[in-house]
Amino acid sequence: TFAVTGGRIEGKTLSGVAHVYGSVTVDGRKHSFAPGAFAKSIAEGSVMAYWGHETPLRLASQRAGTLRLSDGPTALQVAMDLPDTTYAQDIKALIAAGEEVGMSFEVYPNKPPLKSKGVSIFSDVRLAKINLVDFPAFEGTSVVLNSAQEQETSRAQLLRIRARLHANDRGI
């Protein structure tokens, strides 16, 4: 399972970057993915998204058209239309409260990775799941809640939220 970075929620849609090519896991496995590694899975259209790694808590799927994935030259982008379920509302409430929620993905190698400077670089994998999680495997991963009125980047809003939380910790 690997993490997703930088995201936002507008209305019922959560979006972000599932993987920035060149980033490496921080959990000791030292895995990374090459551009295009997810292309076959995206074309097959069978990827699903979940809350945590719990299969019963489905959030979206490509088959239903509620999960959209785009494998660009620098990153894997993700967007999902959240269902009207209690756990999806919980996710939105956590993010609105400033809680950091990361994202991860589950893959299965179609061929062995290349090794470069101690890092396993996968170029062809089957992407099975995109998951919202508490502890992602890549640094700097998060999902933030953006309002439709504010036209700031998800990174800028995350910094604003963190500054607010830091001020609250100091009693300001």
Side-chain angles (χ1 to χ4, degrees), residues 1-171:
T1 302
F2 302 90
V4 175
T5 185
R8 64 183 183 181
I9 294 180
E10 290 184 358
K12 290 175 63 173
T13 302
L14 178 145
S15 60
V17 176
H19 181 70
V20 175
Y21 297 116
S23 61
V24 179
T25 55
V26 296
D27 61 4
R29 291 178 291 169
K30 295 188 178 179
H31 290 167
S32 188
F33 295 87
F38 309 102
K40 288 180 189 175
S41 295
I42 293 170
E44 290 171 2
S46 61
V47 180
M48 295 192 281
Y50 296 91
W51 171 237
H53 292 288
E54 300 299 320
T55 303
L57 302 179
R58 185 181 300 180
L59 294 171
S61 72
Q62 280 187 294
R63 287 196 178 126
T66 55
L67 176 62
R68 293 167 302 286
L69 302 167
S70 174
D71 196 11
T74 61
L76 172 65
Q77 303 280 337
V78 60
M80 62 182 83
D81 301 325
L82 297 176
D84 192 19
T85 61
T86 56
Y87 56 89
Q89 295 304 316
D90 291 345
I91 292 166
K92 288 176 70 173
L94 286 169
I95 295 167
E99 293 292 336
E100 292 189 26
V101 176
M103 297 175 79
S104 73
F105 54 92
E106 181 179 315
V107 295
Y108 300 93
N110 289 325
K111 65 181 187 180
L114 298 173
K115 295 277 188 173
S116 177
K117 299 178 183 177
V119 176
S120 298
I121 303 169
F122 294 87
S123 62
D124 186 6
V125 297
R126 181 175 66 83
L127 177 61
K129 297 177 184 177
I130 300 284
N131 303 317
L132 297 179
V133 297
D134 293 324
F135 303 106
F138 285 97
E139 282 185 354
T141 65
S142 63
V143 177
V144 297
L145 180 65
N146 284 351
S147 70
Q149 306 89 275
E150 294 182 32
Q151 295 301 317
E152 66 182 330
T153 66
S154 58
R155 173 116 175 102
Q157 189 164 31
L158 177 60
L159 292 173
R160 185 172 49 78
I161 290 168
R162 284 185 176 160
R164 184 185 75 216
L165 292 172
H166 184 67
N168 287 345
D169 290 343
R170 293 189 330 229

